[in-house]
Amino acid sequence: MKLIIAYIQPHRLNDVKQELYKEEVFKISVTNALGCGQQRGYHESYRGVDIEVNLLKKVRLEIAVNEDFVERTVEAIIRGARSGKIGDGKIFVIDLPECIRIRSGERGGVAIG
Amino acid sequence: MKLIIAYIQPHRLNDVKQELYKEEVFKISVTNALGCGQQRGYHESYRGVDIEVNLLKKVRLEIAVNEDFVERTVEAIIRGARSGKIGDGKIFVIDLPECIRIRSGERGGVAIG
Amino acid sequence: MKLIIAYIQPHRLNDVKQELYKEEVFKISVTNALGCGQQRGYHESYRGVDIEVNLLKKVRLEIAVNEDFVERTVEAIIRGARSGKIGDGKIFVIDLPECIRIRSGERGGVAIG
Amino acid sequence: MKTLKVIGMVFFALLVAAGAFANEINAAQNAVSIDTVWMLIAAFLVFFMQAGFAMVEAGFTRAKNASNILMKNLMDFAMGSLAYWAVGFALMFGKDLWGFIGTSGFFLSGGDPFTAEGLWQLAFWMFQVVFAATAATIVSGAMAERTKFIAYLLYSAVISAVIYPVVGHWIWGGGWLGNLGMVDFAGSTVVHSVGGWAGLVGAIMLGPRMGKYVEAGGMRKVRAIPGHNLPIAALGVFILWFAWFGFNAGSTTSGTNPSIGTIAVTTNLSAAAGAFTSMIYSWIRFKKPDPSMSLNGALAGLVAITAGCAAVSPTSAVIIGLVSGVLVVLAVQFFDKVLYIDDPVGAVSVHGVCGAFGTLMVGLFAQAEYAESAGIGTINGLFYGGGWSLLGVQATGVGATFVWVSIACLGLFSLIRKTVGLRVDKDEELRGLDIEEHGVEAYNGFQIFTTQ
Amino acid sequence: MKTLKVIGMVFFALLVAAGAFANEINAAQNAVSIDTVWMLIAAFLVFFMQAGFAMVEAGFTRAKNASNILMKNLMDFAMGSLAYWAVGFALMFGKDLWGFIGTSGFFLSGGDPFTAEGLWQLAFWMFQVVFAATAATIVSGAMAERTKFIAYLLYSAVISAVIYPVVGHWIWGGGWLGNLGMVDFAGSTVVHSVGGWAGLVGAIMLGPRMGKYVEAGGMRKVRAIPGHNLPIAALGVFILWFAWFGFNAGSTTSGTNPSIGTIAVTTNLSAAAGAFTSMIYSWIRFKKPDPSMSLNGALAGLVAITAGCAAVSPTSAVIIGLVSGVLVVLAVQFFDKVLYIDDPVGAVSVHGVCGAFGTLMVGLFAQAEYAESAGIGTINGLFYGGGWSLLGVQATGVGATFVWVSIACLGLFSLIRKTVGLRVDKDEELRGLDIEEHGVEAYNGFQIFTTQ
Amino acid sequence: MKTLKVIGMVFFALLVAAGAFANEINAAQNAVSIDTVWMLIAAFLVFFMQAGFAMVEAGFTRAKNASNILMKNLMDFAMGSLAYWAVGFALMFGKDLWGFIGTSGFFLSGGDPFTAEGLWQLAFWMFQVVFAATAATIVSGAMAERTKFIAYLLYSAVISAVIYPVVGHWIWGGGWLGNLGMVDFAGSTVVHSVGGWAGLVGAIMLGPRMGKYVEAGGMRKVRAIPGHNLPIAALGVFILWFAWFGFNAGSTTSGTNPSIGTIAVTTNLSAAAGAFTSMIYSWIRFKKPDPSMSLNGALAGLVAITAGCAAVSPTSAVIIGLVSGVLVVLAVQFFDKVLYIDDPVGAVSVHGVCGAFGTLMVGLFAQAEYAESAGIGTINGLFYGGGWSLLGVQATGVGATFVWVSIACLGLFSLIRKTVGLRVDKDEELRGLDIEEHGVEAYNGFQIFTTQ
Ligand SMILES: Nc1ncnc2c1ncn2[C@@H]1O[C@H](COP(=O)(O)OP(=O)(O)O)[C@@H](O)[C@H]1O
Ligand SMILES: Nc1ncnc2c1ncn2[C@@H]1O[C@H](COP(=O)(O)OP(=O)(O)O)[C@@H](O)[C@H]1O
Ligand SMILES: Nc1ncnc2c1ncn2[C@@H]1O[C@H](COP(=O)(O)OP(=O)(O)O)[C@@H](O)[C@H]1O
């Protein structure tokens, strides 16, 4: 199993969710994040003083999937999130040796979906 | 070492914390998350228009533990979080090769607790 | 590649960011977290009733780096976050087998920076 | 005292009516205009209390129940207005029956726009309806975060339509307590205690919010459930203080009454003193000056001076305020830590306890020179040579009100519990009344911990 | 009706001026003072509506656009004040030309501080400017979350300077509709419909917010975009209700007018009834009592009674309120789900539709006894034996206002679209107007999901 | 100017007292009632400023200090009321000593409810106390986010008890500046400059908030620390604008004064003009129209017109407002970027600078026809043929006030620094004053970044 972590633009969340649904990936977890990447931020100004905002609002997805779902999931995220502009985001994939469903106590691949 | 990530119902946090304390797991990190899983969400309505809320409020726990603590921790989380109803949540366990305590610079198993 | 997760004191974020910049680590993701560790919390009181606040506000960093950057990054975080007092935080380092840049589809080490 | 005033006004209005409608301008008619203008502006201010209560109650409770408490504050005024128009006003100020209840003037039938009396009744109704709504709205605070919405609608309508008007009739509408000589100038008892005691009964019958009192090893531990938005709670208190000037000084129902300035002064000083001692006392007891207690302290001072605002000196007002500021902290502690009654915003302590306290204080601090200038007769409290009699009457009024409200509310809440149910179920409470009862969130998009 | 009043006042003020400036005290002069005091306090209250609208509109929209909507509400009053001082007041109340427009008194040139008439003009301007600003501010709600700031500034100035004053002149300033006998006592049509229809034209020309209507498989799906802060929205409604007492009862422009109390009563009852039926009806239709609809319902009741507040009985006011509470829910649904017009706060339904509705209701419910006591003549609606004529006049006024405002706004918005542009671009809308237009965030430090 | 008025009132009140207490109705007595009603309602409005300041200051600072700033606003009014009752009022309006200070009437001893004079004093005190509190509350904004709570309590009590009353006596209480002919009708100098300069001294002595000015490579870099809640800040400004009508028009202390309408007009136009130019000027300078600057601009216009509101024409008011809107932006930039004085909400610029500016403008724009109609004598400014003399007097007043307040506050703050300490320590500042000083959070449950 793999744990897929993705940072995307907040307003792409709906598109990404839809693409994931199409691939039958229904289970995801979402958190708010601030990101600092190639996208250099922008300048706000408050009462005439510049604020360099280099922590931009991002959304962080966490999706645990079985091996055979990894590519489909990654592709779906890319389809939903890509605009071709800087700031589109990153996907990280890490190994997930164990997964447990709290309700039933099931473990492993069966628990993931 | 392992890094345990758990998604639970927000109102179960206190129970889970108490169970963890009993097992002498004192160190945890908590974030807010929105989750989309087997629990299908519910319908809100705003000014007569339906909102399908399928991102439900969850709490995300992150707990780094030494190998011998993994099972105890997982069991404690399950005891605290299980209601038997859909939406109880998931636990993910991943490998944690390194851990550093910022204050002292200690590394590895001693830094975890 | 490695994924570095660090919990630090919120008001240290600026210092940490500056140290990371010096090491040419420009890409980071930040989330709010509540942490419960050695630092025992403190007591608030609301209308005369004690509240034991043992979930303290922390900031969680997530930084994906290539192997050769790991130590520099960890050191930079420590330099920026250390005050020598309890509550300074923890750094966790996990393996990161895959990394994808959404914009370009690039994978692996080149996608990380 | 309002009775006399009303009758006086009506009589005098009739006198000048001829002139008024002949479109000549004379001083008597101007005086009526001044009185009407004053009373209406005061009524508008008292209406604004609804905003104050809504903000205080929402701010002192959790984010997940904020929409619900706002809806309750809106609807108790909306339904209360209709109920008081149809029934309440008649029961309170209608033709007296046995000193117990009024019996005429349903649906504002007395409001004939062709007579000065009818016009005055309309304006007077406007002033009275906002008082009725205040009494009703107090209750929502004590019963916050766990009461069913439908149950709330029902009991709040009944309070405005019946429970409040009965006390109102007794004291202001020509009933037995007013005839005994009870002085409750602007309603420490009529309005605030009624609301407070109704809330007390309700809070007891509902039981505490989940997680408020935790049983651990045979010991009951009290836990704090902090409010979610102190800025709007503070705004609410400022709005209430502002509106209270209308509440108290407006209760002359006359801008030509020479003591309106004095009343504003006593009102302000008592509130200031209450906030001050609450702050100091909470500092001493809890090590830190507690904001929500200090806010409660200001309200305590306001509630306590409401009965006597026209009958005591500014110095007495300061004393009453100083005491009430300490009293409210003690009362909050007592209900919470001794009786384990869960009153999220402190409504019982502020309105019930300080209302009763303030009513009794008239029996001690009333001074004829102030009372006379306000036109409420030559009365003196114990400290100013009036002996025990006034204090006795005041205590009778406080007691009678407590008994009536307790019994009536016990019956009312029992009935509701047996029919539509009084309390939401556990899951609804956990997830919050906003989503469960209204299908919305108060702060859409904000990340909020709802773990408690 | 205000015209007559003004002329009357001026005449009568001149009569007493000698006395006034000779520093003797007489009843006539006191009456002028009472009228001035009343009108000014009412004006202050109506000014406070700006706060109410700002809170309602901010609360019902998303956090990422909150600063922008607040700026709009601030600047429409600031610019509107200047525009109405320079131009609007003259067009509205200046020397009549063909019953269509006023032509004198630019830059408040009639406000001579040495004559009673001049003094009255100054006070009267103060009262009128806050009405003009109210009409302008309504528009911002319907066009929220996507309008360019510069476009907003321009059209809001033109509305205060020209579009509103024209209707104002027709009905209040001595123009043709007033001469026909149209009764719009405090401005259901003059103020609210003007704002509502302008907002309607604007909302159509702008198009819906991104994500509001989603094309899916040939079907258009309606999606909800919930507001971000219900507590401040509710506060806004309470502020508006409070201020409305000034709006309606103040529109006598006279504290010696015997019907100010009656007007307060009708205003309050209609609002209460509107909130009540909106709540009930939303409960029936959507299964849960909807807070934002109930808040709209209170406003609907207020808007609807504004035309007839001085001419109908309290019972009629209750009926008007009950109907408007249902009507507003239906209208919101109709614009949203049938016409696909995106009006984030329901401004068109509340102000446009209920304003027109309320104006027509005068033609049904007006009663001579109430109208006479308020000094607006012997008028009766259809239900009280007055026949169809008043209803016809009212309908003419409603129609004429709709036509004028639609055409004028169509021209205005087209011009703006061609010059500075009307709508922000997609990316700006997505990221929010606060950052894009003003470079700030409304809630710095708060974690807010801006995924929508 | 108020002095004369007071004396006039008292005299005239005595004249009519016989009538008043004989319960006949006559015009003279009605006039007293109108004046009292007007002054009291104005006082209530000015009280409401406390809510406005609380919201503005809380909104413009960080979430972690919100409870603290609210507590400060509550307690400065509570303690200020008590201090002004015990001492301040006597020093300000008591029997004059050498034109410098009043010496009688401690504890409102002159408020005899049996005499018309005593009754007037009580009402007059009510009006004055809210002014005293306004002066005190301004200071909290300039010193926000780093002042110890206990230090705040102490200095705010001293300002209300002594520092403000001294200036008040000089200008309004029969002191030397008033005798020289200085015109500060509603308190640009007496109230606002006093608050502003006290805040300036405080902000200097405290030093900037951590992270505000960053030393980097020998260069001092200015960083922005954005406020956390713009909606409540905007609400605060609307509340202040609303209340300002009471502040200025109420300062006639008389509803029979024929110029109350004029004053409302000048007040409104100046505020509108100030908001407008601040918006435009911030747009030019910072590329985007800045919301917080525009809000400050409205306040700047209000502060600037306060001195001359009764003595200048509406057109002059527009000019004064237009200039003050630019001035406030310049002043904010100057204190922040040139002098490196950290004033989180811009209180020094708004109240200190624009207060002084507005006072001087009377020397230029005063016009006899307006001043006479308001009863403040035949005065003309430089632009209206009055020559330099008035301007000279005004400048003297501005200067004297600055000197007195600076010296007094320097002493006061030094004393506090040496005893209880003035500033919280670094860790407390970092974690926030809410938790450290009061043990609570303002927004419980909300996720807020407190990294700054
Ligand atoms: N190496 C990294 N470690 C942690 N987070 C990263 C890393 N690189 C990118 N991110 C996250 O992804 C977001 C988008 O990155 P960015 O470089 O701006 O996108 P793109 O590569 O499409 O230009 C960043 O804001 C950050 O949250
Ligand atoms: N495969 C997954 N990847 C990421 N998060 C998941 C996954 N499965 C479940 N979750 C998280 O756990 C929460 C509970 O999942 P759910 O399936 O509703 O619980 P249960 O399995 O007890 O029915 C979800 O809301 C989501 O946050
Ligand atoms: N084992 C752990 N698992 C998860 N989070 C941890 C763990 N240990 C520490 N943390 C996080 O790091 C923060 C700081 O830990 P703490 O023990 O207080 O620091 P220090 O080790 O410097 O005293 C905690 O609040 C928590 O968020």
Side-chain angles (χ1 to χ4, degrees), chain B residues 31-34 42-52 55 57, chain E residues 60 222-224 226-227 286 290 292-293 296 333 336-337 345-346 449:
Chain B
T31 41
N32 253 340
L34 298 180
Y42 53 95
H43 286 258
E44 289 184 7
S45 110
Y46 177 76
R47 302 176 71 76
V49 180
D50 247 30
I51 318 176
E52 200 199 334
L55 286 173
K57 294 202 166 123
Chain E
F60 279 170
V222 179
R223 291 215 332 228
F286 319 135
D290 187 87
S292 85
M293 280 295 182
N296 273 175
Q333 301 293 303
D336 193 23
K337 296 185 180 165
V345 308
F449 267 107

Side-chain angles (χ1 to χ4, degrees), chain B residues 62-77:
Chain B
E62 215 167 57
I63 314 175
V65 290
N66 285 315
E67 305 291 344
D68 49 335
F69 263 79
V70 175
E71 274 312 301
R72 292 165 59 178
T73 306
V74 168
E75 291 305 323
I77 295 173

Side-chain angles (χ1 to χ4, degrees), chain A residues 7 35-39 58 85-90 92, chain C residues 27-29 62-64 101 103 112:
Chain A
Y7 286 92
C36 184
Q38 224 146 296
Q39 191 185 9
K58 300 284 166 189
K85 278 185 257 166
I86 281 183
D88 276 357
K90 289 277 171 68
F92 305 121
Chain C
K27 308 213 153 180
I28 59 174
S29 296
E62 215 167 57
I63 313 175
R101 189 193 306 279
R103 173 162 48 87
I112 227 162

Side-chain angles (χ1 to χ4, degrees), chain A residues 33-34 43-52 55, chain F residues 222 224 226-227 286 290 292 296 333 336-337 346 449:
Chain A
L34 298 179
H43 285 257
E44 290 184 6
S45 111
Y46 178 76
R47 302 174 71 76
V49 180
D50 247 30
I51 318 175
E52 202 199 331
L55 287 173
Chain F
V222 179
F286 318 137
D290 188 88
S292 86
N296 272 176
Q333 302 292 304
D336 193 21
K337 296 186 179 166
F449 267 106

Side-chain angles (χ1 to χ4, degrees), chain C residues 32-34 43-52 55, chain D residues 222-224 226-227 286 290 292-293 296 333 336-337 449:
Chain C
N32 252 341
L34 297 180
H43 286 258
E44 291 183 7
S45 111
Y46 178 76
R47 302 176 70 78
V49 180
D50 248 29
I51 319 176
E52 201 199 330
L55 286 173
Chain D
V222 179
R223 289 210 339 222
F286 318 136
D290 187 87
S292 85
M293 281 295 182
N296 273 175
Q333 302 292 303
D336 193 23
K337 296 185 179 165
F449 266 106

Side-chain angles (χ1 to χ4, degrees), chain F residues 317-387:
Chain F
V318 171
I319 297 168
I320 292 173
L322 291 172
V323 177
S324 65
V326 175
L327 182 62
V328 73
V329 179
L330 290 172
V332 165
Q333 302 292 304
F334 179 72
F335 285 115
D336 193 21
K337 296 186 179 166
V338 178
L339 298 185
Y340 301 113
I341 295 170
D342 182 18
D343 172 5
V345 307
V348 179
S349 305
V350 169
H351 301 280
V353 174
C354 290
F357 166 74
T359 308
L360 294 175
M361 285 309 98
V362 180
L364 300 181
F365 287 102
Q367 258 174 287
E369 57 236 77
Y370 290 94
E372 273 170 18
S373 120
I376 51 173
T378 311
I379 53 163
N380 273 306
L382 183 60
F383 293 169
Y384 292 93

Side-chain angles (χ1 to χ4, degrees), chain A residues 27 29 62 64 101 103 112, chain B residues 35 38-39 58 87-90:
Chain A
K27 307 213 153 177
S29 295
E62 215 166 57
R101 190 193 305 279
R103 172 164 47 88
I112 228 164
Chain B
Q38 223 145 298
Q39 191 184 7
K58 298 285 166 188
D88 277 357
K90 288 276 170 68

Side-chain angles (χ1 to χ4, degrees), chain C residues 14 16 25 41 52-53 66 72 82-83 99:
Chain C
N14 270 328
V16 170
V25 177
E52 201 199 330
V53 180
N66 285 316
R72 292 164 59 176
R82 179 185 280 168
S83 73
C99 165

